[in-house]
Short mmCIF file of all heavy atoms in Angstrom, two decimals:
data_model
loop_
_atom_site.label_atom_id
_atom_site.label_comp_id
_atom_site.label_asym_id
_atom_site.label_seq_id
_atom_site.Cartn_x
_atom_site.Cartn_y
_atom_site.Cartn_z
N MET R 918 -26.88 -24.98 -33.96
CA MET R 918 -26.84 -24.07 -32.84
C MET R 918 -25.38 -23.92 -32.40
O MET R 918 -24.66 -24.90 -32.29
CB MET R 918 -27.70 -24.62 -31.72
CG MET R 918 -27.86 -23.69 -30.59
SD MET R 918 -29.01 -24.41 -29.44
CE MET R 918 -29.93 -23.01 -29.04
N THR R 919 -24.97 -22.68 -32.14
CA THR R 919 -23.58 -22.47 -31.75
C THR R 919 -23.44 -22.49 -30.24
O THR R 919 -24.38 -22.17 -29.50
CB THR R 919 -23.08 -21.11 -32.27
OG1 THR R 919 -23.87 -20.10 -31.69
CG2 THR R 919 -23.15 -21.05 -33.79
N GLU R 920 -22.26 -22.84 -29.82
CA GLU R 920 -21.96 -22.89 -28.39
C GLU R 920 -21.71 -21.48 -27.87
O GLU R 920 -21.10 -20.66 -28.55
CB GLU R 920 -20.68 -23.71 -28.18
CG GLU R 920 -20.87 -24.81 -27.18
CD GLU R 920 -19.59 -25.59 -27.03
OE1 GLU R 920 -19.40 -26.54 -27.79
OE2 GLU R 920 -18.79 -25.23 -26.14
N PRO R 921 -22.17 -21.14 -26.65
CA PRO R 921 -21.89 -19.81 -26.10
C PRO R 921 -20.39 -19.64 -25.88
O PRO R 921 -19.68 -20.60 -25.57
CB PRO R 921 -22.66 -19.76 -24.79
CG PRO R 921 -23.02 -21.15 -24.46
CD PRO R 921 -22.96 -21.95 -25.73
N GLU R 922 -19.92 -18.42 -26.06
CA GLU R 922 -18.50 -18.15 -25.89
C GLU R 922 -18.13 -18.27 -24.41
O GLU R 922 -18.80 -17.72 -23.53
CB GLU R 922 -18.20 -16.73 -26.37
CG GLU R 922 -16.73 -16.43 -26.42
CD GLU R 922 -16.47 -15.05 -26.97
OE1 GLU R 922 -17.21 -14.62 -27.87
OE2 GLU R 922 -15.53 -14.42 -26.47
N ARG R 923 -17.06 -18.99 -24.15
CA ARG R 923 -16.63 -19.19 -22.76
C ARG R 923 -15.75 -18.02 -22.33
O ARG R 923 -14.92 -17.53 -23.07
CB ARG R 923 -15.82 -20.47 -22.63
CG ARG R 923 -16.67 -21.69 -22.77
CD ARG R 923 -15.86 -22.90 -22.46
NE ARG R 923 -16.71 -24.08 -22.59
CZ ARG R 923 -16.28 -25.29 -22.37
NH1 ARG R 923 -15.03 -25.50 -22.04
NH2 ARG R 923 -17.09 -26.30 -22.50
N LEU R 924 -15.96 -17.60 -21.11
CA LEU R 924 -15.13 -16.55 -20.55
C LEU R 924 -13.80 -17.15 -20.12
O LEU R 924 -13.74 -18.30 -19.67
CB LEU R 924 -15.82 -15.91 -19.34
CG LEU R 924 -17.11 -15.16 -19.64
CD1 LEU R 924 -17.76 -14.73 -18.33
CD2 LEU R 924 -16.84 -13.97 -20.52
N PRO R 925 -12.72 -16.37 -20.22
CA PRO R 925 -11.43 -16.90 -19.78
C PRO R 925 -11.43 -17.18 -18.28
O PRO R 925 -12.02 -16.42 -17.51
CB PRO R 925 -10.43 -15.80 -20.14
CG PRO R 925 -11.23 -14.59 -20.40
CD PRO R 925 -12.63 -15.03 -20.72
N GLN R 926 -10.81 -18.25 -17.91
CA GLN R 926 -10.74 -18.62 -16.49
C GLN R 926 -9.70 -17.75 -15.79
O GLN R 926 -8.65 -17.46 -16.34
CB GLN R 926 -10.34 -20.10 -16.35
CG GLN R 926 -11.37 -21.06 -16.90
CD GLN R 926 -12.68 -20.95 -16.16
OE1 GLN R 926 -12.71 -20.87 -14.94
NE2 GLN R 926 -13.77 -20.93 -16.89
N PRO R 927 -10.02 -17.31 -14.57
CA PRO R 927 -9.05 -16.47 -13.85
C PRO R 927 -7.81 -17.28 -13.49
O PRO R 927 -7.88 -18.48 -13.22
CB PRO R 927 -9.80 -16.04 -12.59
CG PRO R 927 -10.91 -17.00 -12.43
CD PRO R 927 -11.23 -17.53 -13.81
N THR R 928 -6.68 -16.60 -13.51
CA THR R 928 -5.44 -17.26 -13.15
C THR R 928 -5.39 -17.44 -11.64
O THR R 928 -6.21 -16.89 -10.89
CB THR R 928 -4.23 -16.43 -13.60
OG1 THR R 928 -4.24 -15.20 -12.88
CG2 THR R 928 -4.25 -16.18 -15.09
N GLU R 929 -4.41 -18.18 -11.21
CA GLU R 929 -4.24 -18.42 -9.77
C GLU R 929 -4.00 -17.11 -9.03
O GLU R 929 -4.54 -16.87 -7.95
CB GLU R 929 -3.07 -19.38 -9.54
CG GLU R 929 -2.94 -19.86 -8.12
CD GLU R 929 -4.10 -20.74 -7.67
OE1 GLU R 929 -4.66 -21.48 -8.49
OE2 GLU R 929 -4.45 -20.66 -6.48
N LEU R 930 -3.19 -16.22 -9.63
CA LEU R 930 -2.91 -14.93 -9.01
C LEU R 930 -4.17 -14.08 -8.91
O LEU R 930 -4.43 -13.46 -7.87
CB LEU R 930 -1.83 -14.18 -9.80
CG LEU R 930 -1.47 -12.80 -9.28
CD1 LEU R 930 -0.86 -12.89 -7.89
CD2 LEU R 930 -0.51 -12.11 -10.23
N GLU R 931 -4.96 -14.04 -9.96
CA GLU R 931 -6.21 -13.27 -9.93
C GLU R 931 -7.16 -13.80 -8.87
O GLU R 931 -7.80 -13.03 -8.15
CB GLU R 931 -6.89 -13.30 -11.29
CG GLU R 931 -6.16 -12.51 -12.36
CD GLU R 931 -6.73 -12.74 -13.74
OE1 GLU R 931 -7.29 -13.83 -14.01
OE2 GLU R 931 -6.61 -11.83 -14.56
N ARG R 932 -7.25 -15.11 -8.74
CA ARG R 932 -8.11 -15.70 -7.71
C ARG R 932 -7.59 -15.35 -6.32
O ARG R 932 -8.35 -15.03 -5.42
CB ARG R 932 -8.16 -17.21 -7.88
CG ARG R 932 -9.52 -17.69 -8.29
CD ARG R 932 -9.63 -19.18 -8.38
NE ARG R 932 -9.15 -19.61 -9.68
CZ ARG R 932 -8.16 -20.47 -9.90
NH1 ARG R 932 -7.58 -21.06 -8.89
NH2 ARG R 932 -7.78 -20.78 -11.10
N TRP R 933 -6.27 -15.41 -6.15
CA TRP R 933 -5.66 -15.14 -4.84
C TRP R 933 -5.90 -13.70 -4.43
O TRP R 933 -6.24 -13.41 -3.29
CB TRP R 933 -4.17 -15.45 -4.92
CG TRP R 933 -3.44 -15.19 -3.64
CD1 TRP R 933 -3.53 -15.92 -2.49
CD2 TRP R 933 -2.54 -14.13 -3.37
NE1 TRP R 933 -2.73 -15.38 -1.52
CE2 TRP R 933 -2.11 -14.28 -2.04
CE3 TRP R 933 -2.05 -13.08 -4.11
CZ2 TRP R 933 -1.21 -13.42 -1.45
CZ3 TRP R 933 -1.16 -12.23 -3.53
CH2 TRP R 933 -0.74 -12.39 -2.21
N VAL R 934 -5.76 -12.75 -5.38
CA VAL R 934 -5.96 -11.34 -5.06
C VAL R 934 -7.44 -11.07 -4.78
O VAL R 934 -7.78 -10.34 -3.86
CB VAL R 934 -5.43 -10.44 -6.21
CG1 VAL R 934 -5.88 -9.01 -6.03
CG2 VAL R 934 -3.92 -10.52 -6.27
N SER R 935 -8.34 -11.66 -5.57
CA SER R 935 -9.76 -11.39 -5.37
C SER R 935 -10.26 -11.99 -4.06
O SER R 935 -11.18 -11.45 -3.44
CB SER R 935 -10.58 -11.94 -6.54
OG SER R 935 -10.54 -13.34 -6.57
N GLU R 936 -9.66 -13.08 -3.63
CA GLU R 936 -10.07 -13.69 -2.37
C GLU R 936 -9.40 -13.03 -1.18
O GLU R 936 -9.81 -13.22 -0.04
CB GLU R 936 -9.71 -15.19 -2.38
CG GLU R 936 -10.51 -15.98 -3.38
CD GLU R 936 -10.00 -17.39 -3.54
OE1 GLU R 936 -9.05 -17.78 -2.82
OE2 GLU R 936 -10.54 -18.12 -4.39
N GLY R 937 -8.39 -12.26 -1.43
CA GLY R 937 -7.67 -11.58 -0.35
C GLY R 937 -6.52 -12.44 0.13
O GLY R 937 -6.63 -13.63 0.30
N GLY R 938 -5.40 -11.83 0.32
CA GLY R 938 -4.21 -12.50 0.82
C GLY R 938 -3.40 -11.49 1.62
O GLY R 938 -3.86 -10.38 1.90
N TRP R 939 -2.20 -11.86 1.97
CA TRP R 939 -1.41 -10.96 2.81
C TRP R 939 -1.04 -9.69 2.06
O TRP R 939 -0.97 -8.62 2.66
CB TRP R 939 -0.17 -11.67 3.34
CG TRP R 939 0.84 -12.01 2.28
CD1 TRP R 939 0.92 -13.18 1.58
CD2 TRP R 939 1.88 -11.18 1.78
NE1 TRP R 939 1.94 -13.12 0.68
CE2 TRP R 939 2.55 -11.90 0.78
CE3 TRP R 939 2.30 -9.89 2.08
CZ2 TRP R 939 3.63 -11.38 0.07
CZ3 TRP R 939 3.39 -9.38 1.37
CH2 TRP R 939 4.04 -10.11 0.40
N LEU R 940 -0.82 -9.76 0.74
CA LEU R 940 -0.48 -8.57 -0.02
C LEU R 940 -1.66 -7.61 -0.08
O LEU R 940 -1.50 -6.39 0.09
CB LEU R 940 -0.03 -8.95 -1.43
CG LEU R 940 0.39 -7.78 -2.32
CD1 LEU R 940 1.59 -7.06 -1.71
CD2 LEU R 940 0.71 -8.27 -3.70
N VAL R 941 -2.85 -8.13 -0.30
CA VAL R 941 -4.05 -7.29 -0.34
C VAL R 941 -4.28 -6.66 1.03
O VAL R 941 -4.60 -5.48 1.14
CB VAL R 941 -5.28 -8.11 -0.78
CG1 VAL R 941 -6.55 -7.28 -0.68
CG2 VAL R 941 -5.09 -8.62 -2.19
N ASP R 942 -4.09 -7.43 2.09
CA ASP R 942 -4.28 -6.90 3.43
C ASP R 942 -3.22 -5.86 3.77
O ASP R 942 -3.48 -4.94 4.53
CB ASP R 942 -4.27 -8.03 4.46
CG ASP R 942 -4.88 -7.59 5.78
OD1 ASP R 942 -5.94 -6.92 5.74
OD2 ASP R 942 -4.31 -7.90 6.83
N LEU R 943 -2.03 -6.00 3.20
CA LEU R 943 -0.99 -5.01 3.42
C LEU R 943 -1.35 -3.69 2.74
O LEU R 943 -1.19 -2.62 3.32
CB LEU R 943 0.35 -5.52 2.90
CG LEU R 943 1.53 -4.58 3.03
CD1 LEU R 943 1.88 -4.38 4.49
CD2 LEU R 943 2.72 -5.10 2.27
N LEU R 944 -1.84 -3.77 1.51
CA LEU R 944 -2.19 -2.56 0.77
C LEU R 944 -3.51 -1.96 1.22
O LEU R 944 -3.66 -0.74 1.26
CB LEU R 944 -2.25 -2.87 -0.73
CG LEU R 944 -0.93 -3.31 -1.36
CD1 LEU R 944 -1.17 -3.71 -2.80
CD2 LEU R 944 0.11 -2.22 -1.24
N LEU R 945 -4.47 -2.79 1.55
CA LEU R 945 -5.79 -2.34 1.99
C LEU R 945 -6.17 -3.04 3.28
O LEU R 945 -6.95 -3.98 3.28
CB LEU R 945 -6.84 -2.66 0.90
CG LEU R 945 -6.60 -2.06 -0.47
CD1 LEU R 945 -7.53 -2.69 -1.49
CD2 LEU R 945 -6.80 -0.56 -0.42
N PRO R 946 -5.62 -2.61 4.41
CA PRO R 946 -5.91 -3.30 5.65
C PRO R 946 -7.39 -3.26 5.98
O PRO R 946 -8.07 -2.26 5.77
CB PRO R 946 -5.10 -2.54 6.70
CG PRO R 946 -4.54 -1.37 6.04
CD PRO R 946 -4.77 -1.45 4.59
N SER R 947 -7.88 -4.38 6.47
CA SER R 947 -9.31 -4.50 6.75
C SER R 947 -9.67 -4.00 8.15
O SER R 947 -10.84 -3.89 8.47
CB SER R 947 -9.75 -5.96 6.59
OG SER R 947 -8.95 -6.79 7.40
N THR R 948 -8.68 -3.69 8.96
CA THR R 948 -8.96 -3.24 10.32
C THR R 948 -8.24 -1.93 10.60
O THR R 948 -7.25 -1.59 9.95
CB THR R 948 -8.50 -4.28 11.36
OG1 THR R 948 -7.08 -4.41 11.27
CG2 THR R 948 -9.16 -5.63 11.13
N ASP R 949 -8.73 -1.21 11.58
CA ASP R 949 -8.06 0.02 12.01
C ASP R 949 -6.70 -0.29 12.62
O ASP R 949 -5.77 0.52 12.51
CB ASP R 949 -8.92 0.77 13.02
CG ASP R 949 -10.16 1.36 12.39
OD1 ASP R 949 -10.16 1.53 11.15
OD2 ASP R 949 -11.13 1.64 13.12
N ALA R 950 -6.57 -1.45 13.23
CA ALA R 950 -5.28 -1.83 13.81
C ALA R 950 -4.23 -1.99 12.71
O ALA R 950 -3.06 -1.63 12.90
CB ALA R 950 -5.42 -3.13 14.60
N GLY R 951 -4.64 -2.52 11.57
CA GLY R 951 -3.70 -2.67 10.45
C GLY R 951 -3.20 -1.32 9.96
O GLY R 951 -2.02 -1.15 9.65
N VAL R 952 -4.09 -0.35 9.88
CA VAL R 952 -3.71 1.00 9.46
C VAL R 952 -2.79 1.62 10.52
O VAL R 952 -1.81 2.29 10.18
CB VAL R 952 -4.95 1.87 9.23
CG1 VAL R 952 -4.55 3.31 8.92
CG2 VAL R 952 -5.79 1.31 8.09
N ALA R 953 -3.09 1.39 11.78
CA ALA R 953 -2.26 1.95 12.85
C ALA R 953 -0.85 1.36 12.80
O ALA R 953 0.14 2.09 13.00
CB ALA R 953 -2.90 1.67 14.20
N VAL R 954 -0.74 0.08 12.53
CA VAL R 954 0.58 -0.56 12.41
C VAL R 954 1.35 0.04 11.24
O VAL R 954 2.55 0.33 11.34
CB VAL R 954 0.44 -2.09 12.27
CG1 VAL R 954 1.76 -2.73 11.87
CG2 VAL R 954 -0.07 -2.68 13.57
N GLN R 955 0.67 0.24 10.11
CA GLN R 955 1.32 0.86 8.96
C GLN R 955 1.79 2.28 9.29
O GLN R 955 2.90 2.67 8.93
CB GLN R 955 0.38 0.90 7.76
CG GLN R 955 0.20 -0.41 7.08
CD GLN R 955 -0.70 -0.30 5.87
OE1 GLN R 955 -1.35 0.72 5.65
NE2 GLN R 955 -0.75 -1.35 5.08
N ALA R 956 0.94 3.04 9.95
CA ALA R 956 1.30 4.42 10.30
C ALA R 956 2.49 4.43 11.26
O ALA R 956 3.40 5.26 11.11
CB ALA R 956 0.11 5.13 10.92
N LEU R 957 2.51 3.52 12.21
CA LEU R 957 3.63 3.44 13.14
C LEU R 957 4.92 3.07 12.42
O LEU R 957 5.97 3.67 12.66
CB LEU R 957 3.32 2.42 14.24
CG LEU R 957 4.41 2.23 15.30
CD1 LEU R 957 4.57 3.53 16.09
CD2 LEU R 957 4.05 1.09 16.22
N ALA R 958 4.84 2.10 11.52
CA ALA R 958 6.03 1.68 10.76
C ALA R 958 6.55 2.83 9.90
O ALA R 958 7.77 3.07 9.84
CB ALA R 958 5.70 0.47 9.89
N LEU R 959 5.66 3.56 9.25
CA LEU R 959 6.09 4.69 8.43
C LEU R 959 6.67 5.81 9.28
O LEU R 959 7.62 6.49 8.86
CB LEU R 959 4.94 5.21 7.59
CG LEU R 959 4.65 4.40 6.34
CD1 LEU R 959 3.42 4.93 5.63
CD2 LEU R 959 5.84 4.43 5.41
N THR R 960 6.14 6.02 10.46
CA THR R 960 6.68 7.03 11.36
C THR R 960 8.12 6.69 11.74
O THR R 960 9.00 7.55 11.73
CB THR R 960 5.82 7.15 12.63
OG1 THR R 960 4.49 7.51 12.24
CG2 THR R 960 6.36 8.19 13.59
N VAL R 961 8.37 5.43 12.02
CA VAL R 961 9.73 4.99 12.36
C VAL R 961 10.66 5.16 11.16
O VAL R 961 11.77 5.69 11.28
CB VAL R 961 9.72 3.53 12.85
CG1 VAL R 961 11.12 2.98 12.96
CG2 VAL R 961 9.00 3.42 14.18
N VAL R 962 10.20 4.76 9.97
CA VAL R 962 11.03 4.87 8.77
C VAL R 962 11.33 6.33 8.47
O VAL R 962 12.49 6.70 8.20
CB VAL R 962 10.33 4.19 7.56
CG1 VAL R 962 11.01 4.56 6.26
CG2 VAL R 962 10.30 2.69 7.74
N PHE R 963 10.31 7.19 8.51
CA PHE R 963 10.55 8.61 8.25
C PHE R 963 11.42 9.24 9.33
O PHE R 963 12.19 10.16 9.06
CB PHE R 963 9.24 9.37 8.09
CG PHE R 963 8.62 9.21 6.73
CD1 PHE R 963 7.29 8.88 6.60
CD2 PHE R 963 9.36 9.41 5.58
CE1 PHE R 963 6.71 8.74 5.35
CE2 PHE R 963 8.80 9.28 4.32
CZ PHE R 963 7.47 8.94 4.21
N GLY R 964 11.31 8.77 10.55
CA GLY R 964 12.17 9.28 11.62
C GLY R 964 13.63 8.95 11.38
O GLY R 964 14.52 9.78 11.59
N VAL R 965 13.90 7.74 10.93
CA VAL R 965 15.28 7.34 10.64
C VAL R 965 15.81 8.12 9.44
O VAL R 965 16.96 8.57 9.42
CB VAL R 965 15.35 5.81 10.39
CG1 VAL R 965 16.70 5.41 9.83
CG2 VAL R 965 15.05 5.06 11.67
N LEU R 966 14.96 8.29 8.43
CA LEU R 966 15.39 9.00 7.23
C LEU R 966 15.57 10.50 7.46
O LEU R 966 16.22 11.18 6.67
CB LEU R 966 14.39 8.78 6.10
CG LEU R 966 14.32 7.36 5.55
CD1 LEU R 966 13.25 7.26 4.48
CD2 LEU R 966 15.66 6.93 5.00
N PHE R 967 15.01 11.02 8.56
CA PHE R 967 15.15 12.44 8.86
C PHE R 967 16.62 12.84 8.98
O PHE R 967 17.04 13.86 8.45
CB PHE R 967 14.39 12.77 10.15
CG PHE R 967 14.57 14.18 10.62
CD1 PHE R 967 13.89 15.22 9.99
CD2 PHE R 967 15.42 14.49 11.67
CE1 PHE R 967 14.06 16.52 10.41
CE2 PHE R 967 15.59 15.79 12.09
CZ PHE R 967 14.91 16.80 11.46
N ARG R 968 17.39 12.03 9.68
CA ARG R 968 18.82 12.33 9.86
C ARG R 968 19.55 12.36 8.53
O ARG R 968 20.36 13.25 8.26
CB ARG R 968 19.48 11.30 10.77
CG ARG R 968 19.15 11.45 12.20
CD ARG R 968 19.94 10.46 12.97
NE ARG R 968 20.68 11.18 13.99
CZ ARG R 968 21.36 10.59 14.93
NH1 ARG R 968 21.43 9.29 14.94
NH2 ARG R 968 21.98 11.28 15.84
N LEU R 969 19.25 11.37 7.69
CA LEU R 969 19.92 11.32 6.39
C LEU R 969 19.52 12.51 5.52
O LEU R 969 20.35 13.09 4.81
CB LEU R 969 19.58 10.01 5.68
CG LEU R 969 20.05 8.73 6.36
CD1 LEU R 969 19.49 7.52 5.65
CD2 LEU R 969 21.56 8.69 6.40
N ALA R 970 18.25 12.88 5.57
CA ALA R 970 17.78 14.02 4.77
C ALA R 970 18.40 15.32 5.25
O ALA R 970 18.74 16.19 4.44
CB ALA R 970 16.26 14.09 4.83
N ARG R 971 18.55 15.46 6.54
CA ARG R 971 19.13 16.69 7.08
C ARG R 971 20.60 16.81 6.70
O ARG R 971 21.07 17.88 6.35
CB ARG R 971 18.96 16.71 8.60
CG ARG R 971 19.28 18.06 9.20
CD ARG R 971 18.93 18.14 10.63
NE ARG R 971 19.65 17.08 11.36
CZ ARG R 971 19.48 16.82 12.64
NH1 ARG R 971 18.62 17.52 13.34
NH2 ARG R 971 20.16 15.88 13.23
N ARG R 972 21.32 15.69 6.74
CA ARG R 972 22.74 15.72 6.39
C ARG R 972 22.97 16.04 4.92
O ARG R 972 23.91 16.73 4.56
CB ARG R 972 23.38 14.36 6.68
CG ARG R 972 23.67 14.13 8.12
CD ARG R 972 24.42 12.85 8.30
NE ARG R 972 24.38 12.44 9.68
CZ ARG R 972 24.54 11.20 10.09
NH1 ARG R 972 24.76 10.26 9.20
NH2 ARG R 972 24.49 10.91 11.35
N SER R 973 22.10 15.52 4.07
CA SER R 973 22.31 15.70 2.62
C SER R 973 21.60 16.93 2.07
O SER R 973 21.68 17.20 0.87
CB SER R 973 21.86 14.45 1.87
OG SER R 973 20.48 14.24 2.06
N GLY R 974 20.92 17.68 2.91
CA GLY R 974 20.25 18.90 2.47
C GLY R 974 18.95 18.67 1.72
O GLY R 974 18.51 19.51 0.96
N LEU R 975 18.33 17.53 1.92
CA LEU R 975 17.08 17.20 1.24
C LEU R 975 15.88 17.25 2.19
O LEU R 975 14.91 16.54 2.00
CB LEU R 975 17.17 15.81 0.61
CG LEU R 975 18.21 15.65 -0.49
CD1 LEU R 975 18.30 14.19 -0.92
CD2 LEU R 975 17.88 16.53 -1.66
N LEU R 976 15.97 18.12 3.17
CA LEU R 976 14.93 18.16 4.18
C LEU R 976 13.58 18.58 3.61
O LEU R 976 12.55 18.05 4.00
CB LEU R 976 15.34 19.08 5.32
CG LEU R 976 14.64 18.90 6.65
CD1 LEU R 976 14.69 17.45 7.09
CD2 LEU R 976 15.25 19.78 7.71
N GLN R 977 13.57 19.51 2.65
CA GLN R 977 12.29 19.94 2.06
C GLN R 977 11.66 18.81 1.26
O GLN R 977 10.44 18.60 1.31
CB GLN R 977 12.50 21.15 1.16
CG GLN R 977 12.71 22.43 1.92
CD GLN R 977 12.87 23.61 1.00
OE1 GLN R 977 13.43 23.49 -0.08
NE2 GLN R 977 12.35 24.75 1.43
N LEU R 978 12.47 18.06 0.53
CA LEU R 978 11.95 16.92 -0.22
C LEU R 978 11.41 15.86 0.73
O LEU R 978 10.33 15.30 0.51
CB LEU R 978 13.05 16.32 -1.10
CG LEU R 978 12.67 15.12 -1.94
CD1 LEU R 978 11.62 15.51 -2.98
CD2 LEU R 978 13.89 14.55 -2.63
N TRP R 979 12.11 15.62 1.80
CA TRP R 979 11.69 14.64 2.80
C TRP R 979 10.37 15.07 3.43
O TRP R 979 9.45 14.27 3.59
CB TRP R 979 12.78 14.50 3.86
CG TRP R 979 12.39 13.67 5.02
CD1 TRP R 979 12.49 12.32 5.14
CD2 TRP R 979 11.81 14.12 6.24
NE1 TRP R 979 12.01 11.91 6.35
CE2 TRP R 979 11.59 12.99 7.04
CE3 TRP R 979 11.45 15.37 6.73
CZ2 TRP R 979 11.03 13.09 8.31
CZ3 TRP R 979 10.90 15.46 7.99
CH2 TRP R 979 10.70 14.33 8.76
N ALA R 980 10.27 16.35 3.77
CA ALA R 980 9.03 16.86 4.38
C ALA R 980 7.86 16.74 3.41
O ALA R 980 6.74 16.41 3.81
CB ALA R 980 9.22 18.30 4.82
N GLY R 981 8.11 16.98 2.13
CA GLY R 981 7.05 16.81 1.12
C GLY R 981 6.58 15.38 1.03
O GLY R 981 5.37 15.12 0.90
N ALA R 982 7.50 14.44 1.12
CA ALA R 982 7.12 13.02 1.08
C ALA R 982 6.30 12.64 2.31
O ALA R 982 5.34 11.87 2.21
CB ALA R 982 8.37 12.15 0.99
N VAL R 983 6.65 13.20 3.45
CA VAL R 983 5.89 12.92 4.68
C VAL R 983 4.47 13.46 4.56
O VAL R 983 3.50 12.78 4.89
CB VAL R 983 6.61 13.51 5.91
CG1 VAL R 983 5.72 13.45 7.14
CG2 VAL R 983 7.91 12.78 6.17
N VAL R 984 4.35 14.69 4.08
CA VAL R 984 3.02 15.30 3.95
C VAL R 984 2.18 14.54 2.92
O VAL R 984 0.99 14.29 3.14
CB VAL R 984 3.15 16.79 3.57
CG1 VAL R 984 1.81 17.38 3.18
CG2 VAL R 984 3.77 17.56 4.72
N PHE R 985 2.79 14.14 1.82
CA PHE R 985 2.08 13.37 0.80
C PHE R 985 1.59 12.04 1.37
O PHE R 985 0.44 11.64 1.17
CB PHE R 985 2.99 13.12 -0.41
CG PHE R 985 2.35 12.30 -1.49
CD1 PHE R 985 1.40 12.86 -2.33
CD2 PHE R 985 2.69 10.97 -1.66
CE1 PHE R 985 0.81 12.11 -3.33
CE2 PHE R 985 2.10 10.22 -2.66
CZ PHE R 985 1.16 10.79 -3.49
N THR R 986 2.46 11.35 2.08
CA THR R 986 2.09 10.06 2.67
C THR R 986 0.99 10.24 3.72
O THR R 986 0.05 9.44 3.78
CB THR R 986 3.32 9.39 3.30
OG1 THR R 986 4.34 9.29 2.31
CG2 THR R 986 3.00 8.01 3.83
N ALA R 987 1.08 11.27 4.52
CA ALA R 987 0.03 11.54 5.51
C ALA R 987 -1.29 11.81 4.80
O ALA R 987 -2.35 11.37 5.26
CB ALA R 987 0.42 12.72 6.39
N GLY R 988 -1.24 12.51 3.68
CA GLY R 988 -2.45 12.76 2.90
C GLY R 988 -3.08 11.48 2.39
O GLY R 988 -4.31 11.34 2.36
N LEU R 989 -2.25 10.54 1.98
CA LEU R 989 -2.78 9.24 1.53
C LEU R 989 -3.48 8.50 2.68
O LEU R 989 -4.50 7.87 2.49
CB LEU R 989 -1.67 8.38 0.94
CG LEU R 989 -1.09 8.85 -0.39
CD1 LEU R 989 0.04 7.94 -0.81
CD2 LEU R 989 -2.15 8.90 -1.47
N PHE R 990 -2.91 8.61 3.87
CA PHE R 990 -3.54 7.96 5.03
C PHE R 990 -4.89 8.62 5.35
O PHE R 990 -5.86 7.95 5.67
CB PHE R 990 -2.61 8.01 6.25
CG PHE R 990 -1.70 6.83 6.33
CD1 PHE R 990 -0.47 6.86 5.71
CD2 PHE R 990 -2.05 5.70 7.03
CE1 PHE R 990 0.38 5.79 5.76
CE2 PHE R 990 -1.21 4.60 7.11
CZ PHE R 990 0.02 4.65 6.47
N VAL R 991 -4.94 9.95 5.24
CA VAL R 991 -6.19 10.65 5.49
C VAL R 991 -7.23 10.27 4.43
O VAL R 991 -8.41 10.04 4.74
CB VAL R 991 -5.97 12.17 5.51
CG1 VAL R 991 -7.27 12.94 5.51
CG2 VAL R 991 -5.14 12.55 6.74
N LEU R 992 -6.80 10.20 3.18
CA LEU R 992 -7.70 9.81 2.10
C LEU R 992 -8.25 8.41 2.34
O LEU R 992 -9.44 8.16 2.16
CB LEU R 992 -6.96 9.88 0.76
CG LEU R 992 -7.76 9.53 -0.47
CD1 LEU R 992 -8.88 10.55 -0.67
CD2 LEU R 992 -6.86 9.49 -1.69
N ARG R 993 -7.39 7.50 2.74
CA ARG R 993 -7.85 6.13 3.00
C ARG R 993 -8.79 6.09 4.20
O ARG R 993 -9.78 5.37 4.21
CB ARG R 993 -6.67 5.19 3.23
CG ARG R 993 -7.13 3.78 3.44
CD ARG R 993 -6.07 2.76 3.40
NE ARG R 993 -4.83 3.12 4.04
CZ ARG R 993 -3.80 2.31 4.08
NH1 ARG R 993 -3.88 1.13 3.54
NH2 ARG R 993 -2.70 2.66 4.68
N GLY R 994 -8.49 6.90 5.21
CA GLY R 994 -9.37 6.95 6.38
C GLY R 994 -10.73 7.54 6.06
O GLY R 994 -11.73 7.13 6.64
N ALA R 995 -10.77 8.50 5.15
CA ALA R 995 -12.03 9.13 4.78
C ALA R 995 -12.86 8.22 3.89
O ALA R 995 -14.08 8.33 3.83
CB ALA R 995 -11.78 10.44 4.05
N HIS R 996 -12.21 7.31 3.21
CA HIS R 996 -12.91 6.42 2.29
C HIS R 996 -13.60 5.38 3.09
O HIS R 996 -14.59 4.98 3.20
CB HIS R 996 -11.92 5.76 1.35
CG HIS R 996 -12.59 4.96 0.30
ND1 HIS R 996 -12.83 3.62 0.45
CD2 HIS R 996 -13.06 5.28 -0.91
CE1 HIS R 996 -13.42 3.16 -0.62
NE2 HIS R 996 -13.57 4.15 -1.47
#
């Protein structure tokens, strides 16, 4: 009789991600407050970058990045 094939054991990183950690919570916040903090932080970052984009003539590119990022937040909120 042959032995059943053993499945590979998950690595420490795989276990840590599957159990949830600070990186997982950063990418997929479990609370609405976490999403609000991310949105606030991005608003501040995009606000600071607005001046740099305006000076260098990249305002349309900057606006596209803002709209794209806002779309990702809406998609995550709808999910």
